[in-house]
Amino acid sequence: MPSPDPNTNSGPARDRFDALHQELRDRICLLDYAPGTRLSETVLAEEFGVSRTPMRRVLARLEAEGLLHSVQGVGTFVTDATIDELEQVYRLRMELAELSGRLAPMRPTPDQLDGFRQISNRAKALIDTPDPRAFARLIMDFFLALLALTDNAPLREISERLYFQTTRIWLTSLFDSVLDAQREYEIFNREVEDILVALEIGDMQAAAHIQRAHISMSFTRMQQGTS
Amino acid sequence: MPSPDPNTNSGPARDRFDALHQELRDRICLLDYAPGTRLSETVLAEEFGVSRTPMRRVLARLEAEGLLHSVQGVGTFVTDATIDELEQVYRLRMELAELSGRLAPMRPTPDQLDGFRQISNRAKALIDTPDPRAFARLIMDFFLALLALTDNAPLREISERLYFQTTRIWLTSLFDSVLDAQREYEIFNREVEDILVALEIGDMQAAAHIQRAHISMSFTRMQQGTS
DNA sequence: GCTCCTGTTGTTGTGTACATCGAGTGACGT
DNA sequence: ACGTCACTCGATGTACACAACAACAGGAGC
């Protein structure tokens, strides 16, 4: 019996799907495909060596997740968001962050704590050698690592989805120099340090509240830079 | 110019997709397709007079929403949920219900209030002439009407999605006589009345807290009936 | 010069045949 | 009698050809 998974959450076809899905999602969220970019099913299918059919399935999933939008005869576009839509999501994300610390918090394992320390080191390194794309990847890793400390699976999925929908828009402001990149690096480094302190003493609610505060402030800074 | 929608959220193909999507979602959530049921892409496609391709697109969306699960060589199945998974979602839904009243509440318009009174009347009628499927439809209409009072679009989508994922499982307990149907009708009637009182004086937070209490109690009753 | 119409082109949507996979069945060997 | 293996069958997954649709360019008409 080579399949140790009785629930059949894997399989050849599903693995291919997941690989394509994650790759395209990363490209969108790391701004390789900026908001408004038009994608072609054909060229994407050729790039990954599959036909349009499975590629369309992946694109349809990304559309369900709010990252793409297809219209017949025109094309499939990477979604954008107005400042008002963004504010709604950020308000919600703030509440969900607090929920993560209150509903089903899990104290980090030693391995997980090491992971956070590595993230902190990467953040410090970024201050000296700026790299926007590495920064995008880093804040994603940090968010996902924090999310892993929540035992509520639906809450994890929802928070993750909202993160992918909004942070790339926020990063756009950073890439376009609406926000000061160097300053953001330092702020993030401080955030990681502060949350790490809370995690090390096992105060998950404190960590959640710090995260909530930074979600709020990052949006406020973007608002002020835009106006 | 016959198209008054510049955002292109409609269109011939998209309309067909939405129609199929809503119809199948209703069948799943009204227990026409009970959890565990195996569906056939071919027969569904034939029933609606389309080919497998657009039908598969709809099924893929429902899979993304957690209502279906397809595995190659076996079939597509209506998802079920263990009591533990259900508890996680219910805990989350309780918090989101409170959020609806706190984050972006909108006082109901006179038309919306009339809608709630009609729902109340339907609930009263159901007590005398029981009808499980009509009850399923009624509580769905009530939930969606309450959701319409929240101005936060992402919160609406998320709450709706969690509702569709879980309430059908709860209804299963009702259909299988784990819960007393007559008693549930009366409890629901009371819930609608109580929330209506809060809505009429414009106290949205009170309405949200009543809803939260009923979400909690309905799950508790199911737990007690199952054990 | 401007408007409208029409053909062209490229896109996503649909239909259909085939590939791939897994469960069930039956014969075979032990 | 029981386990094993090969086969069959129906399911979902994939590839490709075509239809439907929208934007664009170019020219006729005013």
Short mmCIF file of all heavy atoms in Angstrom, two decimals, chain C residues 2-7 13 16 22 24-27, chain D residues 4-7 9 15 18 24-29:
data_model
loop_
_atom_site.label_atom_id
_atom_site.label_comp_id
_atom_site.label_asym_id
_atom_site.label_seq_id
_atom_site.Cartn_x
_atom_site.Cartn_y
_atom_site.Cartn_z
P DC C 2 -12.53 65.92 -35.66
OP1 DC C 2 -12.60 66.80 -34.48
OP2 DC C 2 -11.40 64.98 -35.83
"O5'" DC C 2 -13.89 65.12 -35.77
"C5'" DC C 2 -15.10 65.83 -36.07
"C4'" DC C 2 -16.22 64.84 -36.31
"O4'" DC C 2 -16.15 64.33 -37.66
"C3'" DC C 2 -16.21 63.62 -35.38
"O3'" DC C 2 -17.46 63.53 -34.72
"C2'" DC C 2 -15.94 62.45 -36.31
"C1'" DC C 2 -16.44 62.95 -37.65
N1 DC C 2 -15.75 62.35 -38.81
C2 DC C 2 -16.49 61.70 -39.80
O2 DC C 2 -17.72 61.64 -39.70
N3 DC C 2 -15.85 61.14 -40.87
C4 DC C 2 -14.51 61.23 -40.95
N4 DC C 2 -13.91 60.69 -42.02
C5 DC C 2 -13.73 61.89 -39.96
C6 DC C 2 -14.38 62.43 -38.91
P DT C 3 -17.69 62.38 -33.60
OP1 DT C 3 -18.47 62.99 -32.50
OP2 DT C 3 -16.38 61.76 -33.34
"O5'" DT C 3 -18.62 61.33 -34.33
"C5'" DT C 3 -19.72 61.80 -35.11
"C4'" DT C 3 -20.34 60.64 -35.87
"O4'" DT C 3 -19.51 60.30 -37.03
"C3'" DT C 3 -20.48 59.35 -35.07
"O3'" DT C 3 -21.80 58.84 -35.25
"C2'" DT C 3 -19.43 58.43 -35.66
"C1'" DT C 3 -19.35 58.90 -37.09
N1 DT C 3 -18.05 58.64 -37.77
C2 DT C 3 -18.05 58.04 -39.01
O2 DT C 3 -19.05 57.70 -39.58
N3 DT C 3 -16.79 57.84 -39.55
C4 DT C 3 -15.56 58.18 -38.97
O4 DT C 3 -14.50 57.96 -39.55
C5 DT C 3 -15.64 58.81 -37.67
C7 DT C 3 -14.40 59.21 -36.94
C6 DT C 3 -16.87 59.00 -37.12
P DC C 4 -22.42 57.70 -34.27
OP1 DC C 4 -23.77 58.13 -33.85
OP2 DC C 4 -21.38 57.39 -33.28
"O5'" DC C 4 -22.61 56.45 -35.24
"C5'" DC C 4 -23.19 56.65 -36.53
"C4'" DC C 4 -22.71 55.56 -37.47
"O4'" DC C 4 -21.31 55.78 -37.78
"C3'" DC C 4 -22.82 54.14 -36.90
"O3'" DC C 4 -23.51 53.32 -37.81
"C2'" DC C 4 -21.36 53.72 -36.73
"C1'" DC C 4 -20.67 54.52 -37.83
N1 DC C 4 -19.22 54.73 -37.61
C2 DC C 4 -18.30 54.49 -38.65
O2 DC C 4 -18.74 54.11 -39.74
N3 DC C 4 -16.97 54.67 -38.43
C4 DC C 4 -16.55 55.08 -37.24
N4 DC C 4 -15.23 55.25 -37.07
C5 DC C 4 -17.45 55.33 -36.16
C6 DC C 4 -18.77 55.15 -36.38
P DC C 5 -24.16 51.91 -37.36
OP1 DC C 5 -25.61 52.07 -37.31
OP2 DC C 5 -23.43 51.44 -36.16
"O5'" DC C 5 -23.80 50.95 -38.58
"C5'" DC C 5 -23.43 51.52 -39.83
"C4'" DC C 5 -22.25 50.74 -40.38
"O4'" DC C 5 -21.02 51.27 -39.83
"C3'" DC C 5 -22.26 49.24 -40.03
"O3'" DC C 5 -22.30 48.49 -41.23
"C2'" DC C 5 -20.99 49.03 -39.23
"C1'" DC C 5 -20.12 50.19 -39.69
N1 DC C 5 -19.05 50.63 -38.73
C2 DC C 5 -17.71 50.65 -39.14
O2 DC C 5 -17.42 50.32 -40.30
N3 DC C 5 -16.75 51.05 -38.27
C4 DC C 5 -17.10 51.41 -37.03
N4 DC C 5 -16.13 51.79 -36.20
C5 DC C 5 -18.45 51.39 -36.58
C6 DC C 5 -19.39 51.00 -37.46
P DT C 6 -22.61 46.89 -41.24
OP1 DT C 6 -23.63 46.61 -42.29
OP2 DT C 6 -22.87 46.50 -39.84
"O5'" DT C 6 -21.24 46.23 -41.70
"C5'" DT C 6 -20.38 46.93 -42.58
"C4'" DT C 6 -18.99 46.34 -42.49
"O4'" DT C 6 -18.22 47.03 -41.47
"C3'" DT C 6 -18.95 44.85 -42.10
"O3'" DT C 6 -18.01 44.18 -42.91
"C2'" DT C 6 -18.51 44.88 -40.65
"C1'" DT C 6 -17.57 46.07 -40.66
N1 DT C 6 -17.30 46.68 -39.34
C2 DT C 6 -16.01 47.06 -39.02
O2 DT C 6 -15.08 46.93 -39.78
N3 DT C 6 -15.87 47.62 -37.78
C4 DT C 6 -16.86 47.81 -36.81
O4 DT C 6 -16.61 48.32 -35.74
C5 DT C 6 -18.17 47.39 -37.21
C7 DT C 6 -19.32 47.55 -36.27
C6 DT C 6 -18.33 46.84 -38.44
P DG C 7 -18.14 42.60 -43.23
OP1 DG C 7 -18.62 42.41 -44.61
OP2 DG C 7 -18.87 41.98 -42.11
"O5'" DG C 7 -16.62 42.13 -43.19
"C5'" DG C 7 -15.65 42.87 -43.90
"C4'" DG C 7 -14.32 42.85 -43.15
"O4'" DG C 7 -14.47 43.59 -41.91
"C3'" DG C 7 -13.84 41.44 -42.76
"O3'" DG C 7 -12.51 41.28 -43.20
"C2'" DG C 7 -13.98 41.40 -41.23
"C1'" DG C 7 -13.85 42.87 -40.85
N9 DG C 7 -14.55 43.24 -39.62
C8 DG C 7 -15.88 43.05 -39.34
N7 DG C 7 -16.22 43.49 -38.15
C5 DG C 7 -15.04 43.99 -37.62
C6 DG C 7 -14.80 44.60 -36.37
O6 DG C 7 -15.60 44.82 -35.45
N1 DG C 7 -13.46 44.97 -36.23
C2 DG C 7 -12.49 44.77 -37.18
N2 DG C 7 -11.28 45.19 -36.87
N3 DG C 7 -12.71 44.20 -38.36
C4 DG C 7 -14.00 43.85 -38.51
P DG C 13 -13.74 32.33 -19.37
OP1 DG C 13 -14.65 32.94 -18.39
OP2 DG C 13 -12.72 31.36 -18.93
"O5'" DG C 13 -14.64 31.64 -20.50
"C5'" DG C 13 -15.96 32.16 -20.73
"C4'" DG C 13 -16.75 31.21 -21.64
"O4'" DG C 13 -15.96 30.92 -22.82
"C3'" DG C 13 -17.09 29.85 -21.01
"O3'" DG C 13 -18.43 29.52 -21.30
"C2'" DG C 13 -16.10 28.89 -21.66
"C1'" DG C 13 -15.91 29.53 -23.04
N9 DG C 13 -14.62 29.22 -23.64
C8 DG C 13 -13.37 29.57 -23.18
N7 DG C 13 -12.40 29.16 -23.95
C5 DG C 13 -13.04 28.51 -24.99
C6 DG C 13 -12.51 27.87 -26.13
O6 DG C 13 -11.32 27.73 -26.46
N1 DG C 13 -13.52 27.33 -26.95
C2 DG C 13 -14.86 27.42 -26.68
N2 DG C 13 -15.67 26.85 -27.55
N3 DG C 13 -15.37 28.02 -25.61
C4 DG C 13 -14.41 28.54 -24.82
P DT C 16 -20.86 17.51 -28.10
OP1 DT C 16 -21.62 17.28 -29.36
OP2 DT C 16 -21.51 17.25 -26.81
"O5'" DT C 16 -19.51 16.67 -28.18
"C5'" DT C 16 -18.60 16.97 -29.22
"C4'" DT C 16 -17.31 16.20 -29.06
"O4'" DT C 16 -16.44 16.87 -28.11
"C3'" DT C 16 -17.46 14.76 -28.54
"O3'" DT C 16 -16.69 13.92 -29.37
"C2'" DT C 16 -16.88 14.84 -27.14
"C1'" DT C 16 -15.78 15.88 -27.35
N1 DT C 16 -15.28 16.52 -26.10
C2 DT C 16 -13.92 16.70 -25.95
O2 DT C 16 -13.12 16.37 -26.78
N3 DT C 16 -13.55 17.28 -24.77
C4 DT C 16 -14.39 17.70 -23.74
O4 DT C 16 -13.94 18.20 -22.73
C5 DT C 16 -15.78 17.47 -23.97
C7 DT C 16 -16.78 17.88 -22.93
C6 DT C 16 -16.16 16.90 -25.12
P DG C 22 -4.71 5.90 -8.17
OP1 DG C 22 -4.34 6.80 -7.05
OP2 DG C 22 -3.77 4.88 -8.66
"O5'" DG C 22 -6.10 5.20 -7.81
"C5'" DG C 22 -7.22 6.00 -7.54
"C4'" DG C 22 -8.46 5.15 -7.45
"O4'" DG C 22 -8.81 4.62 -8.77
"C3'" DG C 22 -8.37 3.93 -6.52
"O3'" DG C 22 -9.58 3.81 -5.81
"C2'" DG C 22 -8.15 2.78 -7.49
"C1'" DG C 22 -8.99 3.22 -8.68
N9 DG C 22 -8.59 2.64 -9.95
C8 DG C 22 -7.32 2.54 -10.45
N7 DG C 22 -7.27 1.99 -11.64
C5 DG C 22 -8.59 1.73 -11.95
C6 DG C 22 -9.17 1.15 -13.11
O6 DG C 22 -8.60 0.75 -14.12
N1 DG C 22 -10.56 1.07 -13.02
C2 DG C 22 -11.29 1.50 -11.93
N2 DG C 22 -12.61 1.34 -12.03
N3 DG C 22 -10.76 2.05 -10.85
C4 DG C 22 -9.42 2.14 -10.92
P DG C 24 -15.21 -1.11 -3.93
OP1 DG C 24 -16.35 -0.48 -3.24
OP2 DG C 24 -14.08 -1.67 -3.14
"O5'" DG C 24 -15.77 -2.25 -4.87
"C5'" DG C 24 -16.57 -1.91 -6.00
"C4'" DG C 24 -16.46 -2.99 -7.05
"O4'" DG C 24 -15.14 -2.95 -7.62
"C3'" DG C 24 -16.66 -4.42 -6.52
"O3'" DG C 24 -17.74 -5.02 -7.22
"C2'" DG C 24 -15.32 -5.12 -6.80
"C1'" DG C 24 -14.71 -4.26 -7.89
N9 DG C 24 -13.25 -4.27 -7.89
C8 DG C 24 -12.40 -3.87 -6.88
N7 DG C 24 -11.14 -3.96 -7.19
C5 DG C 24 -11.14 -4.46 -8.49
C6 DG C 24 -10.05 -4.77 -9.36
O6 DG C 24 -8.85 -4.67 -9.13
N1 DG C 24 -10.51 -5.24 -10.59
C2 DG C 24 -11.82 -5.40 -10.93
N2 DG C 24 -12.07 -5.87 -12.15
N3 DG C 24 -12.85 -5.12 -10.13
C4 DG C 24 -12.42 -4.65 -8.94
P DT C 25 -18.26 -6.51 -6.76
OP1 DT C 25 -19.73 -6.50 -6.89
OP2 DT C 25 -17.63 -6.85 -5.47
"O5'" DT C 25 -17.65 -7.45 -7.89
"C5'" DT C 25 -17.57 -6.97 -9.23
"C4'" DT C 25 -16.90 -8.00 -10.11
"O4'" DT C 25 -15.46 -7.77 -10.12
"C3'" DT C 25 -17.09 -9.46 -9.66
"O3'" DT C 25 -17.39 -10.26 -10.78
"C2'" DT C 25 -15.74 -9.82 -9.05
"C1'" DT C 25 -14.79 -9.00 -9.90
N1 DT C 25 -13.48 -8.67 -9.25
C2 DT C 25 -12.32 -8.83 -9.97
O2 DT C 25 -12.30 -9.21 -11.12
N3 DT C 25 -11.18 -8.50 -9.29
C4 DT C 25 -11.09 -8.05 -7.97
O4 DT C 25 -10.01 -7.80 -7.45
C5 DT C 25 -12.34 -7.90 -7.28
C7 DT C 25 -12.37 -7.43 -5.86
C6 DT C 25 -13.48 -8.22 -7.94
P DG C 26 -18.26 -11.62 -10.56
OP1 DG C 26 -19.48 -11.51 -11.38
OP2 DG C 26 -18.35 -11.89 -9.11
"O5'" DG C 26 -17.33 -12.71 -11.23
"C5'" DG C 26 -16.70 -12.44 -12.48
"C4'" DG C 26 -15.35 -13.11 -12.51
"O4'" DG C 26 -14.44 -12.39 -11.63
"C3'" DG C 26 -15.35 -14.57 -12.04
"O3'" DG C 26 -15.01 -15.41 -13.13
"C2'" DG C 26 -14.33 -14.61 -10.91
"C1'" DG C 26 -13.52 -13.34 -11.10
N9 DG C 26 -12.95 -12.77 -9.89
C8 DG C 26 -13.61 -12.43 -8.74
N7 DG C 26 -12.84 -11.94 -7.82
C5 DG C 26 -11.57 -11.97 -8.39
C6 DG C 26 -10.32 -11.57 -7.86
O6 DG C 26 -10.07 -11.09 -6.75
N1 DG C 26 -9.29 -11.76 -8.79
C2 DG C 26 -9.44 -12.27 -10.04
N2 DG C 26 -8.35 -12.38 -10.80
N3 DG C 26 -10.61 -12.65 -10.55
C4 DG C 26 -11.62 -12.47 -9.68
P DA C 27 -15.17 -17.00 -12.97
OP1 DA C 27 -16.07 -17.48 -14.04
OP2 DA C 27 -15.45 -17.36 -11.56
"O5'" DA C 27 -13.69 -17.44 -13.29
"C5'" DA C 27 -12.99 -16.82 -14.36
"C4'" DA C 27 -11.49 -16.92 -14.12
"O4'" DA C 27 -11.13 -16.15 -12.94
"C3'" DA C 27 -10.99 -18.35 -13.86
"O3'" DA C 27 -9.82 -18.58 -14.64
"C2'" DA C 27 -10.70 -18.38 -12.37
"C1'" DA C 27 -10.31 -16.94 -12.09
N9 DA C 27 -10.56 -16.51 -10.71
C8 DA C 27 -11.72 -16.58 -10.02
N7 DA C 27 -11.65 -16.12 -8.78
C5 DA C 27 -10.35 -15.70 -8.67
C6 DA C 27 -9.63 -15.10 -7.62
N6 DA C 27 -10.18 -14.81 -6.43
N1 DA C 27 -8.34 -14.79 -7.83
C2 DA C 27 -7.79 -15.08 -9.02
N3 DA C 27 -8.36 -15.64 -10.09
C4 DA C 27 -9.65 -15.92 -9.85
P DT D 4 -2.02 -12.10 -0.11
OP1 DT D 4 -0.66 -11.98 0.46
OP2 DT D 4 -3.03 -11.08 0.19
"O5'" DT D 4 -1.92 -12.28 -1.67
"C5'" DT D 4 -1.47 -13.53 -2.20
"C4'" DT D 4 -1.51 -13.49 -3.71
"O4'" DT D 4 -2.81 -13.94 -4.18
"C3'" DT D 4 -1.28 -12.12 -4.33
"O3'" DT D 4 -0.32 -12.24 -5.36
"C2'" DT D 4 -2.65 -11.71 -4.83
"C1'" DT D 4 -3.29 -13.05 -5.16
N1 DT D 4 -4.78 -13.07 -5.09
C2 DT D 4 -5.50 -13.65 -6.10
O2 DT D 4 -4.98 -14.16 -7.08
N3 DT D 4 -6.86 -13.63 -5.92
C4 DT D 4 -7.56 -13.09 -4.85
O4 DT D 4 -8.78 -13.13 -4.80
C5 DT D 4 -6.75 -12.49 -3.83
C7 DT D 4 -7.38 -11.87 -2.62
C6 DT D 4 -5.41 -12.50 -3.99
P DC D 5 0.39 -10.91 -6.01
OP1 DC D 5 1.85 -11.11 -6.04
OP2 DC D 5 -0.20 -9.74 -5.35
"O5'" DC D 5 -0.15 -10.97 -7.52
"C5'" DC D 5 -0.20 -12.24 -8.20
"C4'" DC D 5 -1.19 -12.14 -9.34
"O4'" DC D 5 -2.53 -12.21 -8.82
"C3'" DC D 5 -1.10 -10.85 -10.15
"O3'" DC D 5 -0.97 -11.15 -11.52
"C2'" DC D 5 -2.41 -10.12 -9.83
"C1'" DC D 5 -3.34 -11.29 -9.52
N1 DC D 5 -4.49 -10.92 -8.64
C2 DC D 5 -5.78 -11.36 -8.97
O2 DC D 5 -5.95 -12.04 -9.99
N3 DC D 5 -6.82 -11.02 -8.16
C4 DC D 5 -6.61 -10.29 -7.08
N4 DC D 5 -7.65 -9.98 -6.30
C5 DC D 5 -5.30 -9.83 -6.73
C6 DC D 5 -4.28 -10.18 -7.53
P DA D 6 -0.35 -10.06 -12.53
OP1 DA D 6 0.90 -10.61 -13.10
OP2 DA D 6 -0.35 -8.74 -11.87
"O5'" DA D 6 -1.44 -10.03 -13.70
"C5'" DA D 6 -1.96 -11.26 -14.19
"C4'" DA D 6 -3.36 -11.06 -14.70
"O4'" DA D 6 -4.24 -10.80 -13.58
"C3'" DA D 6 -3.51 -9.87 -15.66
"O3'" DA D 6 -4.19 -10.29 -16.83
"C2'" DA D 6 -4.30 -8.84 -14.85
"C1'" DA D 6 -5.09 -9.71 -13.89
N9 DA D 6 -5.42 -9.06 -12.62
C8 DA D 6 -4.57 -8.40 -11.79
N7 DA D 6 -5.15 -7.92 -10.70
C5 DA D 6 -6.47 -8.30 -10.83
C6 DA D 6 -7.60 -8.10 -10.02
N6 DA D 6 -7.57 -7.45 -8.86
N1 DA D 6 -8.77 -8.62 -10.45
C2 DA D 6 -8.80 -9.27 -11.61
N3 DA D 6 -7.80 -9.53 -12.46
C4 DA D 6 -6.66 -9.01 -12.01
P DC D 7 -4.35 -9.30 -18.09
OP1 DC D 7 -4.04 -10.09 -19.30
OP2 DC D 7 -3.62 -8.05 -17.81
"O5'" DC D 7 -5.92 -9.02 -18.07
"C5'" DC D 7 -6.81 -10.06 -17.70
"C4'" DC D 7 -8.18 -9.47 -17.44
"O4'" DC D 7 -8.25 -8.98 -16.08
"C3'" DC D 7 -8.55 -8.30 -18.34
"O3'" DC D 7 -9.73 -8.61 -19.05
"C2'" DC D 7 -8.71 -7.11 -17.39
"C1'" DC D 7 -8.98 -7.77 -16.05
N1 DC D 7 -8.50 -7.00 -14.87
C2 DC D 7 -9.39 -6.71 -13.82
O2 DC D 7 -10.56 -7.10 -13.90
N3 DC D 7 -8.94 -6.00 -12.74
C4 DC D 7 -7.66 -5.61 -12.70
N4 DC D 7 -7.27 -4.94 -11.62
C5 DC D 7 -6.75 -5.90 -13.75
C6 DC D 7 -7.20 -6.58 -14.81
P DC D 9 -16.25 -4.73 -19.43
OP1 DC D 9 -17.52 -5.43 -19.70
OP2 DC D 9 -15.43 -4.21 -20.53
"O5'" DC D 9 -16.56 -3.53 -18.42
"C5'" DC D 9 -17.05 -3.83 -17.11
"C4'" DC D 9 -17.02 -2.59 -16.25
"O4'" DC D 9 -15.66 -2.33 -15.84
"C3'" DC D 9 -17.51 -1.32 -16.97
"O3'" DC D 9 -18.54 -0.72 -16.21
"C2'" DC D 9 -16.28 -0.43 -17.05
"C1'" DC D 9 -15.44 -0.93 -15.88
N1 DC D 9 -13.97 -0.70 -16.03
C2 DC D 9 -13.23 -0.24 -14.94
O2 DC D 9 -13.80 -0.04 -13.87
N3 DC D 9 -11.90 -0.03 -15.11
C4 DC D 9 -11.32 -0.26 -16.27
N4 DC D 9 -10.02 -0.04 -16.38
C5 DC D 9 -12.07 -0.73 -17.39
C6 DC D 9 -13.38 -0.94 -17.24
P DA D 15 -2.38 17.87 -20.72
OP1 DA D 15 -0.94 17.54 -20.77
OP2 DA D 15 -2.82 19.12 -20.10
"O5'" DA D 15 -2.94 17.82 -22.22
"C5'" DA D 15 -2.78 16.63 -22.97
"C4'" DA D 15 -3.63 16.67 -24.23
"O4'" DA D 15 -5.02 16.67 -23.85
"C3'" DA D 15 -3.42 17.91 -25.11
"O3'" DA D 15 -3.02 17.52 -26.40
"C2'" DA D 15 -4.79 18.61 -25.11
"C1'" DA D 15 -5.75 17.49 -24.75
N9 DA D 15 -6.94 17.95 -24.04
C8 DA D 15 -6.98 18.64 -22.86
N7 DA D 15 -8.20 18.92 -22.44
C5 DA D 15 -9.01 18.36 -23.40
C6 DA D 15 -10.41 18.31 -23.55
N6 DA D 15 -11.25 18.84 -22.67
N1 DA D 15 -10.91 17.68 -24.64
C2 DA D 15 -10.05 17.14 -25.52
N3 DA D 15 -8.72 17.12 -25.49
C4 DA D 15 -8.26 17.76 -24.39
P DC D 18 -11.55 22.40 -36.15
OP1 DC D 18 -12.05 21.65 -37.32
OP2 DC D 18 -10.39 23.31 -36.29
"O5'" DC D 18 -12.76 23.23 -35.53
"C5'" DC D 18 -13.88 22.51 -34.99
"C4'" DC D 18 -14.65 23.40 -34.03
"O4'" DC D 18 -13.84 23.70 -32.87
"C3'" DC D 18 -15.10 24.75 -34.61
"O3'" DC D 18 -16.51 24.83 -34.55
"C2'" DC D 18 -14.43 25.78 -33.68
"C1'" DC D 18 -14.22 24.98 -32.41
N1 DC D 18 -13.15 25.50 -31.52
C2 DC D 18 -13.46 25.89 -30.21
O2 DC D 18 -14.63 25.79 -29.83
N3 DC D 18 -12.49 26.38 -29.40
C4 DC D 18 -11.24 26.46 -29.86
N4 DC D 18 -10.31 26.93 -29.04
C5 DC D 18 -10.90 26.07 -31.19
C6 DC D 18 -11.87 25.60 -31.98
P DC D 24 -8.97 48.42 -27.20
OP1 DC D 24 -7.79 48.55 -26.32
OP2 DC D 24 -10.10 49.36 -27.10
"O5'" DC D 24 -8.47 48.40 -28.71
"C5'" DC D 24 -7.73 47.27 -29.17
"C4'" DC D 24 -7.74 47.24 -30.68
"O4'" DC D 24 -9.02 46.73 -31.15
"C3'" DC D 24 -7.56 48.61 -31.35
"O3'" DC D 24 -6.36 48.63 -32.08
"C2'" DC D 24 -8.82 48.76 -32.23
"C1'" DC D 24 -9.31 47.33 -32.39
N1 DC D 24 -10.77 47.19 -32.63
C2 DC D 24 -11.23 46.51 -33.75
O2 DC D 24 -10.40 46.04 -34.54
N3 DC D 24 -12.57 46.39 -33.96
C4 DC D 24 -13.43 46.91 -33.09
N4 DC D 24 -14.75 46.77 -33.32
C5 DC D 24 -12.98 47.62 -31.93
C6 DC D 24 -11.66 47.73 -31.73
P DA D 25 -5.83 50.01 -32.68
OP1 DA D 25 -4.39 50.04 -32.37
OP2 DA D 25 -6.71 51.11 -32.27
"O5'" DA D 25 -6.01 49.80 -34.25
"C5'" DA D 25 -5.69 48.52 -34.81
"C4'" DA D 25 -6.22 48.43 -36.22
"O4'" DA D 25 -7.65 48.17 -36.18
"C3'" DA D 25 -6.02 49.67 -37.07
"O3'" DA D 25 -5.60 49.30 -38.37
"C2'" DA D 25 -7.40 50.33 -37.09
"C1'" DA D 25 -8.33 49.13 -36.98
N9 DA D 25 -9.60 49.41 -36.33
C8 DA D 25 -9.80 50.11 -35.18
N7 DA D 25 -11.07 50.19 -34.83
C5 DA D 25 -11.74 49.51 -35.82
C6 DA D 25 -13.10 49.22 -36.02
N6 DA D 25 -14.07 49.63 -35.19
N1 DA D 25 -13.44 48.50 -37.12
C2 DA D 25 -12.47 48.08 -37.93
N3 DA D 25 -11.15 48.29 -37.84
C4 DA D 25 -10.86 49.01 -36.75
P DG D 26 -4.97 50.36 -39.36
OP1 DG D 26 -3.72 49.78 -39.88
OP2 DG D 26 -4.96 51.68 -38.69
"O5'" DG D 26 -6.00 50.45 -40.56
"C5'" DG D 26 -6.53 49.23 -41.11
"C4'" DG D 26 -7.81 49.54 -41.84
"O4'" DG D 26 -8.88 49.71 -40.87
"C3'" DG D 26 -7.77 50.83 -42.67
"O3'" DG D 26 -8.10 50.53 -44.02
"C2'" DG D 26 -8.81 51.74 -42.01
"C1'" DG D 26 -9.73 50.75 -41.31
N9 DG D 26 -10.42 51.27 -40.14
C8 DG D 26 -9.86 51.98 -39.10
N7 DG D 26 -10.74 52.32 -38.19
C5 DG D 26 -11.95 51.81 -38.66
C6 DG D 26 -13.23 51.86 -38.10
O6 DG D 26 -13.59 52.38 -37.05
N1 DG D 26 -14.17 51.21 -38.90
C2 DG D 26 -13.89 50.59 -40.10
N2 DG D 26 -14.91 50.02 -40.72
N3 DG D 26 -12.68 50.54 -40.63
C4 DG D 26 -11.76 51.17 -39.87
P DG D 27 -7.85 51.60 -45.16
OP1 DG D 27 -7.00 50.96 -46.18
OP2 DG D 27 -7.44 52.87 -44.53
"O5'" DG D 27 -9.31 51.80 -45.77
"C5'" DG D 27 -10.13 50.66 -46.02
"C4'" DG D 27 -11.59 51.04 -45.97
"O4'" DG D 27 -11.96 51.39 -44.62
"C3'" DG D 27 -11.95 52.26 -46.84
"O3'" DG D 27 -13.13 51.98 -47.58
"C2'" DG D 27 -12.18 53.37 -45.82
"C1'" DG D 27 -12.72 52.58 -44.65
N9 DG D 27 -12.58 53.24 -43.35
C8 DG D 27 -11.42 53.79 -42.83
N7 DG D 27 -11.60 54.33 -41.66
C5 DG D 27 -12.95 54.12 -41.38
C6 DG D 27 -13.71 54.47 -40.24
O6 DG D 27 -13.35 55.06 -39.23
N1 DG D 27 -15.04 54.06 -40.36
C2 DG D 27 -15.57 53.41 -41.45
N2 DG D 27 -16.85 53.11 -41.39
N3 DG D 27 -14.85 53.07 -42.52
C4 DG D 27 -13.57 53.45 -42.41
P DA D 28 -13.44 52.71 -48.97
OP1 DA D 28 -13.13 51.78 -50.07
OP2 DA D 28 -12.79 54.03 -48.93
"O5'" DA D 28 -15.02 52.93 -48.93
"C5'" DA D 28 -15.84 51.85 -48.50
"C4'" DA D 28 -17.11 52.36 -47.84
"O4'" DA D 28 -16.78 52.89 -46.52
"C3'" DA D 28 -17.79 53.50 -48.60
"O3'" DA D 28 -19.20 53.25 -48.67
"C2'" DA D 28 -17.50 54.75 -47.77
"C1'" DA D 28 -17.32 54.19 -46.38
N9 DA D 28 -16.36 54.96 -45.56
C8 DA D 28 -15.07 55.27 -45.88
N7 DA D 28 -14.44 55.96 -44.96
C5 DA D 28 -15.39 56.11 -43.97
C6 DA D 28 -15.34 56.76 -42.71
N6 DA D 28 -14.26 57.38 -42.25
N1 DA D 28 -16.47 56.73 -41.95
C2 DA D 28 -17.54 56.09 -42.43
N3 DA D 28 -17.70 55.44 -43.58
C4 DA D 28 -16.57 55.50 -44.31
P DG D 29 -20.10 54.09 -49.68
OP1 DG D 29 -21.12 53.19 -50.21
OP2 DG D 29 -19.20 54.84 -50.58
"O5'" DG D 29 -20.83 55.15 -48.72
"C5'" DG D 29 -21.57 54.67 -47.61
"C4'" DG D 29 -21.85 55.80 -46.65
"O4'" DG D 29 -20.61 56.21 -46.03
"C3'" DG D 29 -22.44 57.07 -47.30
"O3'" DG D 29 -23.72 57.31 -46.74
"C2'" DG D 29 -21.44 58.18 -46.96
"C1'" DG D 29 -20.67 57.60 -45.79
N9 DG D 29 -19.30 58.08 -45.68
C8 DG D 29 -18.31 57.94 -46.63
N7 DG D 29 -17.16 58.46 -46.26
C5 DG D 29 -17.42 58.98 -44.99
C6 DG D 29 -16.56 59.66 -44.09
O6 DG D 29 -15.37 59.94 -44.25
N1 DG D 29 -17.22 60.00 -42.92
C2 DG D 29 -18.53 59.73 -42.66
N2 DG D 29 -19.00 60.14 -41.48
N3 DG D 29 -19.35 59.09 -43.48
C4 DG D 29 -18.73 58.75 -44.62
#
